[in-house]
């Protein structure tokens, strides 16, 4: 690329591409932000704030520990459970006392498949479990 000293006659014929690159980068960012992601939302009922919380008359039941390991095995309070029986177990737990449900503490291994977790959350929603939390153990 040669530079001229300004003594040449006539206009410069080179195209300035810097504004073009700037516009293309802005368009790329806009398309990346507005592009739909390939995820499927799971509807959950989050607790809503209240001004006057109801008094706690009863002691809450002990939490239920649900663990999903890397192989996809689901354990309910330490006992292995088949995935297709999990919704019935959750429904039975809710039906004992729907107003005083135990908290479901889900511990998921980082190598577990998302499909298994999605099924567990769908089963919990179908069983009308209200108190769901995620825990992480250091094993």
């Amino acid at each position: 690329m040669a530079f001229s000293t300004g003594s040449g006659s006539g206009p410069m014929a080179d195209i300035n591409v810097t504004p073009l690159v700037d516009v293309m980068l802005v368009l790329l960012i806009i398309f990346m932000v507005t592009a739909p992601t390939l995820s499927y939302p799971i509807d959950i009922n989050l607790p809503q704030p209240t001004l006057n919380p109801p008094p706690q008359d009863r002691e809450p039941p002990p939490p239920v520990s649900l663990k999903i390991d890397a192989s996809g095995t689901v354990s309910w309070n330490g006992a292995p459970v088949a995935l297709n029986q999990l919704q019935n177990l959750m429904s039975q737990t809710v039906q004992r006392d729907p107003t005083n449900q135990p908290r479901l503490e889900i511990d998921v291994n980082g190598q577990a498949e998302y499909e298994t977790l999605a099924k567990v959350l769908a089963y919990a929603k179908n069983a009308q479990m209200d108190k769901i939390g995620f825990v992480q153990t250091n094993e």
Side-chain angles (χ1 to χ4, degrees):
M1 185 182 295
F3 294 101
S4 64
T5 59
S7 62
S9 62
M12 190 169 134
D14 292 335
I15 297 174
N16 188 1
V17 296
T18 303
L20 177 67
V21 170
D22 290 344
V23 169
M24 295 309 264
L25 286 175
V26 168
L27 287 174
L28 177 67
I29 291 171
I30 289 172
F31 287 134
M32 287 173 53
V33 169
T34 60
T37 58
L38 296 176
S39 64
Y40 300 98
I42 297 175
D43 294 329
I44 57 172
N45 295 327
L46 295 175
Q48 300 299 319
T50 60
L51 296 176
N52 298 325
Q56 282 286 64
D57 295 339
R58 298 177 282 177
E59 183 72 23
V64 174
S65 173
L66 189 133
K67 183 172 178 135
I68 303 172
D69 63 7
S71 64
T73 304
V74 178
S75 300
W76 180 273
N77 284 335
V81 174
L83 197 57
N84 56 1
Q85 297 174 350
L86 193 58
Q87 186 169 355
N88 291 335
L89 194 57
M90 289 178 176
S91 296
Q92 291 171 0
T93 304
V94 170
Q95 293 305 319
R96 284 187 204 133
D97 188 2
T99 60
N100 194 18
Q101 296 180 10
R103 185 175 63 245
L104 179 64
E105 296 178 345
I106 301 174
D107 181 15
V108 183
N109 186 306
Q111 303 298 319
E113 291 185 13
Y114 177 73
E115 178 183 5
T116 307
L117 176 61
K119 286 181 181 179
V120 167
L121 291 175
Y123 292 157
K125 179 183 176 190
N126 292 340
Q128 298 177 351
M129 294 195 88
D130 292 334
K131 300 176 184 177
I132 301 172
F134 290 94
V135 296
Q136 181 178 5
T137 57
N138 296 326
E139 291 182 6

